[in-house]
Amino acid sequence: MRSAVRSAASPRAQGPARRSGGPPASLTSRSHDAAAPGFGRVGILPDGASPGRIPSSDGARGRLSVRTGRAAVSRGSLWALLPLTIEGFTVRRGQLDERTLAPGTPTRPCDLVLRGGRVLDPETGLDAVRHVGIADGRITVVSDELPESDVVLDVTGQVVAPGFIDLHSHAQSVTGLRLQALDGVTTALELEAGVAPFTRTRETATEEGRPINFGYSASWALARMQMLAHVRLDGAEDPITTTVRLMGDSRWRRPATPAEVEAILDLLEEEVAAGALGIGVLLGYAPESGRSEYVRIAALAEHLGVPTFTHSRFISRREPHTSLEGAAEVLAAAAGTGAHMHLCHLNSTSNWMIDQIAQMVATAQRLGVRLTTEAYPYGSAATGIGAAFLDPDKLDRIGITPTDIVFLPTGERVADADRLLELREQDPGGLVVYDWLNEADERQRAVLERSLLLTDTAIASDATPLVNAADPNLHDRWPVPPHTVTHPRTAGCYGKLLRWAVRETRILSLAEAVRRCTIVPAQVLEQVAPSMACKGRVQVGADADLAIFDPATVSDRSTYHDSARPSAGFRHVLVGGTFVVRDGQLLPDRRPGRCVHSKFI
């Protein structure tokens, strides 16, 4: 019996249906572009932009054209005749210009107005100087006329963008999320590895408070650790630490029996029912696990209507078991089950095979396979030293040697294979950074660039936990203690993207870079988390999660020698309308972050 199954009389009967029965109607009829119930995508539209959607109480959506001042109705002729007051906002017939997208009462002042910034809304294509009004945690005005407010902040010359949404952050401590806030991030999610148990992890983070929004997937690795290695998750350490610490334990990495697979799937189903945002699958850390088990996970995810987030099974340039084969397995599971499969850190797992993988992914997407991707702008990776693919006998398959690996707890560059074996034995969870390409080499850097440029690839940091041998209690510290180390992407992923990819190499326009950091990751999750339809946008009704930065100076400052140094140029960062960064300074007492959870709770 599936323990996640609940009868209709259960107070939590709205959770996902059992796998042995049929899915609920809400899952069988779900639309791939569904937004949150009662809330459409409302946009201020420049000429040539795609129209947004007008919200309605019954889910019908009209289409708004600001240029013509008319509602072009796709369903229901009453749109053109009636004023609408939905979720506190009024759209009035005959006056559909920017001034009408205002709070329900025209004279109601905003809590805060951001005056005169360059507003970038990636969904509608708006790129113009506007004033942005905020009230009760949401955007209530986007206009070229200054709305009423007692608090007006001049952001002339600054970009006003949606706060960045990071789908892949292992830096889930208060301190780690503070560093990410200074990099423009307003939502950081642990989706690749996931957590367990979900409810306790969510409740702990909520009670402690977080500076930015947070959320988690259900952890396949931890489900296996419980079932195969008999690990008790008693709350003595956070689930990310547990995952990394046991990374080298062979007990959880073996093939599972049919009965064990059923038990693993039961645990994952329970976690999704509790609110997890999908299933995180660290397949590359247990490459001996069965392929049929992975297909079963994909089928479960499709049945429940949630995505999976996969670290692919193989990282190699040499046959067999190449990076191409690893990506193809994820694609095949998506095509064979209909599940939405998300391929994590395409840049590092592609390992020089990016052109073949990109072509395969693009073709599959064109044919309707539900496959999404992410990447980060670095030529180095980070993981636990006990990872299966860092076995000294396998390093040549990645194209590295022991001296390409830096062991963060001691700061040492690993001298040889014997020292690598020693460290793997002594501290299998110890974090390392290793170079898989040389960014200073133009040919190698071009490989990294191509991994970032695949259509609709989200930017996701893969932020790692912070390490400090002399001061291990880093969970809630500010400023970050001296000699703290991590991968520089933890503190600087988005600042680097804006410096390097936008200003220096110009491989991305500013608008496109912002799109890949905001609306693209939001749309990855909208099916499972309706609240994401209110994020990644600068539109009336959207959450006031905003990053305000100077496009001429925004930059990463973290390096491999000073890896926890915050980015510069992010002038203000707001989460739900609350400043967490003001005038470039973190406000350590501000913890407005909320949990992003699935539609089942």
Side-chain angles (χ1 to χ4, degrees):
M1 178 179 293
R2 305 294 174 214
S3 55
V5 177
R6 293 170 294 279
S7 70
S10 167
R12 300 182 64 192
Q14 296 303 312
R18 62 184 299 169
R19 283 180 279 130
S20 56
S26 63
L27 297 186
T28 58
S29 62
R30 61 182 180 270
S31 166
H32 291 333
D33 66 350
F39 183 82
R41 298 168 185 166
V42 182
I44 309 298
L45 308 184
D47 285 347
S50 299
R53 293 173 184 159
I54 302 173
S56 77
S57 57
D58 64 1
R61 296 180 180 89
R63 301 181 77 78
L64 174 65
S65 170
V66 172
R67 293 194 312 276
T68 63
R70 295 189 302 273
V73 183
S74 59
R75 280 185 284 176
S77 60
L78 289 179
W79 284 105
L81 302 176
L82 298 176
L84 302 175
T85 303
I86 305 297
E87 301 214 3
F89 306 105
T90 299
V91 179
R92 294 185 292 281
R93 179 176 60 86
Q95 300 177 10
L96 294 178
D97 59 18
E98 294 177 5
R99 292 181 300 255
T100 68
L101 295 178
T105 51
T107 58
R108 175 190 178 190
C110 301
D111 298 332
L112 168 69
V113 169
L114 303 173
R115 181 175 65 196
R118 176 185 172 186
V119 174
L120 295 180
D121 178 57
E123 186 171 52
T124 64
L126 176 66
D127 182 350
V129 174
R130 293 289 185 270
H131 311 297
V132 177
I134 297 167
D136 298 326
R138 288 202 168 186
I139 296 171
T140 56
V141 177
V142 180
S143 176
D144 57 4
E145 295 186 6
L146 190 67
E148 180 183 354
S149 178
D150 291 334
V151 182
V152 178
L153 183 63
D154 188 359
V155 292
T156 302
Q158 306 283 306
V159 169
V160 179
F164 300 155
I165 298 168
D166 190 353
L167 298 174
H168 191 154
S169 173
H170 307 299
Q172 290 291 319
S173 66
V174 176
T175 306
L177 296 182
R178 284 169 173 159
L179 277 176
Q180 291 208 266
L182 284 162
D183 202 30
V185 177
T186 56
T187 301
L189 308 171
E190 168 57 277
L191 300 180
E192 181 213 29
V195 302
F198 172 84
T199 298
R200 185 170 62 211
T201 305
R202 172 177 60 85
E203 289 175 347
T204 298
T206 300
E207 290 169 4
E208 293 177 348
R210 293 292 186 268
I212 61 178
N213 302 313
F214 57 95
Y216 320 103
S217 69
S219 173
W220 170 76
L222 286 171
R224 280 186 134 251
M225 289 175 186
Q226 291 177 85
M227 291 297 104
L228 307 186
H230 308 293
V231 173
R232 290 186 65 242
L233 303 179
D234 57 8
E237 64 182 4
D238 71 86
I240 299 167
T241 301
T242 302
T243 301
V244 176
R245 178 173 60 82
L246 297 176
M247 196 169 281
D249 190 330
S250 61
R251 294 176 298 166
W252 76 272
R253 304 189 309 194
R254 65 171 173 82
T257 66
E260 289 169 336
V261 170
E262 290 299 317
I264 291 165
L265 295 177
D266 281 347
L267 281 178
L268 294 174
E269 190 171 358
E270 289 176 3
E271 297 287 70
V272 170
L277 292 169
I279 302 172
V281 189
L282 290 175
L283 200 58
Y285 293 88
E288 300 87 6
S289 62
R291 285 165 176 74
S292 62
E293 180 181 342
Y294 186 60
V295 174
R296 292 286 306 279
I297 292 168
L300 172 64
E302 193 284 330
H303 176 75
L304 299 177
V306 301
T308 68
F309 306 89
T310 302
H311 179 125
S312 57
R313 192 183 298 267
F314 303 122
I315 305 176
S316 175
R317 308 187 222 180
R318 286 179 22 212
E319 298 283 3
H321 303 159
T322 64
S323 294
L324 179 63
E325 183 180 341
E329 181 181 18
V330 181
L331 188 157
T337 66
H340 173 187
M341 312 293 282
H342 183 80
L343 189 56
C344 295
H345 41 44
L346 189 66
N347 56 309
S348 59
T349 52
S350 294
N351 194 250
W352 291 80
M353 303 188 80
I354 183 58
D355 295 322
Q356 293 166 280
I357 292 173
Q359 182 178 7
M360 181 176 64
V361 168
T363 300
Q365 290 172 334
R366 187 170 64 250
L367 294 173
V369 177
R370 300 177 66 198
L371 186 67
T372 52
T373 57
E374 66 177 55
Y376 58 83
Y378 292 83
S380 61
T383 187
I385 199 169
F389 50 84
L390 291 185
D391 186 306
D393 293 336
K394 297 179 180 178
L395 293 185
D396 63 324
R397 299 185 63 84
I398 307 176
I400 68 172
T401 66
T403 58
D404 292 314
I405 302 171
V406 175
F407 187 60
L408 294 185
T410 63
E412 67 182 280
R413 189 169 287 275
V414 179
D416 51 34
D418 289 340
R419 179 57 175 160
L420 179 56
L421 284 171
E422 183 180 12
L423 291 171
R424 284 167 61 87
E425 178 68 25
Q426 291 175 354
D427 187 8
L431 290 173
V432 298
V433 171
Y434 67 91
D435 302 317
W436 64 273
L437 62 72
N438 180 7
E439 292 182 51
D441 182 287
E442 184 177 354
R443 183 179 67 89
Q444 296 187 47
R445 188 174 63 248
V447 174
L448 174 62
E449 291 173 358
R450 293 198 294 276
S451 72
L452 294 169
L453 296 178
L454 187 63
T455 302
D456 289 340
T457 288
I459 303 302
S461 73
D462 195 5
T464 60
L466 307 177
V467 176
N468 190 317
D471 191 357
N473 185 21
L474 296 172
H475 179 71
D476 186 357
R477 299 287 298 279
W478 197 261
V480 178
H483 311 300
T484 297
V485 293
T486 181
H487 191 292
R489 67 195 184 200
T490 302
C493 173
Y494 297 93
K496 179 177 181 179
L497 183 81
L498 295 171
R499 169 186 61 81
W500 168 67
V502 175
R503 285 204 311 272
E504 296 178 359
T505 65
R506 301 185 180 183
I507 61 172
L508 292 173
S509 68
L510 177 60
E512 178 62 12
V514 168
R515 189 182 76 89
R516 289 171 181 255
C517 300
T518 56
I519 191 72
V520 170
Q523 291 175 338
V524 168
L525 291 172
E526 282 180 20
Q527 285 291 299
V528 65
S531 65
M532 295 304 289
C534 301
K535 298 187 185 298
R537 301 151 168 95
V538 184
Q539 300 175 22
V540 170
D543 292 342
D545 296 348
L546 298 168
I548 296 98
F549 59 88
D550 182 348
T553 63
V554 65
S555 178
D556 57 321
R557 297 191 299 172
S558 56
T559 67
Y560 293 101
H561 301 290
D562 190 4
S563 54
R565 190 179 184 189
S567 291
F570 288 97
R571 191 67 179 165
H572 313 288
V573 177
L574 296 92
V575 176
T578 297
F579 284 98
V580 293
V581 175
R582 182 80 181 260
D583 296 323
Q585 299 298 311
L586 182 91
L587 304 176
D589 60 328
R590 304 290 176 86
R591 302 192 184 192
R594 296 184 178 181
C595 183
V596 178
H597 55 74
S598 77
K599 57 194 172 186
F600 299 117
I601 60 171

